[in-house]
Amino acid sequence: MITKRIIPCLDVRDGRVVKGVNFEGLADVSSPVELARYYSDHGADELVFYDITASAEGRRLFTDILTEVASKIFIPLTVGGGINTLDDFDRVLKCGADKVSVNSGAIRNPHLIEEAAKRYGNQCVVISADVKRVDGSFRVFAKGGRENTGMEAISWIRHCVDLGAGEVVLNSIDTDGVKRGFDLEMLAAVCAAVQVPVIASGGAGKIEDFITLFNTLPGVDAGLAASIFHFGEVRISDLKEAMKKAGIPARI
């Protein structure tokens, strides 16, 4: 049975890791290099690095910090933020990333997914979807959750996978930072729509939230979280032991 992955997320702004609630009210947490090294040494299966203001500020992702992070870890690294062209893919991969996450860049140009998948392989292309309920429907948001695109989320994610995305990170804006559990309804809809790995993001507050996630939705491949790991509320080693006891396969 395939092990379920536990993935800490580093939301980076101005060279520091930050965290907020519902994508707002960002507070300083730590150095991305130090946190990345810590997670690599303490049981994380992968790491996600987002330059969270690159798209909104219309600039490229900071590569100096990324290069240092990549050099300090020994687990797969997914990187996103300001990815708009194949050159951006190339630059980030040369910095040491294993996978590249696209969101706003794909919304502007969906064929970026297709082109990147052809050049680098589907396994390298991750579609990161920031989704929020609007009038009872799942809607895709761009620019770090700031801009409602008006697009229906499930059909958009399915389209991205059809174009070549090999993995989906579903970020629920509704549950982000709230710590009351993952957005199971939204995740179930995505799992039913695609046949590629789905990573749940947004809402983890305690170990039991991950147990509920994997028991309720076996199709979810990984759980991603930030603040509960950053602030020591949940240790990855404790989480994986609890998963093992619950019969959920994990890399110990």
Side-chain angles (χ1 to χ4, degrees):
M1 190 177 292
I2 297 175
T3 58
K4 301 299 185 182
R5 292 172 285 153
I6 300 300
I7 306 175
C9 177
L10 307 183
D11 291 325
V12 180
R13 181 184 67 177
D14 299 329
R16 298 286 292 178
V17 177
V18 297
K19 192 68 189 89
V21 177
N22 303 129
F23 283 32
E24 296 179 351
L26 300 176
D28 185 88
V29 176
S30 183
S31 153
V33 177
E34 293 307 312
L35 261 187
R37 193 199 326 247
Y38 172 82
Y39 288 133
S40 181
D41 292 342
H42 289 83
D45 295 299
E46 296 187 15
L47 193 66
V48 168
F49 178 111
Y50 287 139
D51 185 338
I52 60 171
T53 56
S55 291
E57 295 171 2
R59 60 169 171 78
R60 289 180 164 187
L61 181 142
F62 292 126
T63 53
D64 51 349
I65 296 170
L66 171 58
T67 301
E68 192 174 358
V69 166
S71 71
K72 295 291 193 295
I73 66 174
F74 300 96
I75 53 177
L77 175 64
T78 298
V79 177
I83 306 296
N84 295 295
T85 65
L86 283 181
D87 285 343
D88 291 330
F89 266 81
D90 194 59
R91 192 163 45 88
V92 167
L93 290 168
K94 284 178 178 175
C95 287
D98 298 282
K99 294 181 277 190
V100 182
S101 175
V102 289
N103 185 345
S104 296
I107 291 169
R108 280 189 292 273
N109 174 24
H111 291 292
L112 174 62
I113 296 171
E114 190 173 25
E115 293 164 359
K118 285 179 180 176
R119 179 174 294 187
Y120 303 109
N122 299 59
Q123 79 289 339
C124 180
V125 183
V126 180
I127 181 65
S128 176
D130 296 336
V131 182
K132 184 176 182 179
R133 289 168 179 78
V134 178
D135 298 326
S137 298
F138 298 136
R139 297 296 174 189
V140 177
F141 278 65
K143 297 183 178 177
R146 296 170 180 83
E147 181 182 290
N148 183 359
T149 66
M151 291 194 299
E152 195 280 320
I154 307 305
S155 58
W156 163 246
I157 291 169
R158 185 187 296 117
H159 179 54
C160 292
V161 171
D162 288 344
L163 287 172
E167 192 166 75
V168 175
V169 176
L170 179 69
N171 308 301
S172 171
I173 298 175
D174 294 324
T175 60
D176 175 70
V178 177
K179 299 184 180 179
R180 293 177 185 166
F182 291 98
D183 198 326
L184 301 179
E185 179 191 20
M186 193 182 288
L187 285 160
V190 173
C191 288
V194 301
Q195 300 298 315
V196 299
V198 174
I199 298 172
S201 172
K206 56 188 182 300
I207 285 176
E208 289 74 17
D209 292 333
F210 289 88
I211 305 299
T212 299
L213 168 69
F214 294 128
N215 278 337
T216 306
L217 298 173
V220 169
D221 289 80
L224 181 150
S227 59
I228 61 166
F229 296 143
H230 299 341
F231 298 122
E233 297 166 47
V234 171
R235 292 187 353 177
I236 293 175
S237 57
D238 294 339
L239 168 56
K240 289 191 169 184
E241 284 296 338
M243 289 169 61
K244 187 178 179 182
K245 287 179 182 177
I248 298 165
R251 181 181 68 85
I252 304 294

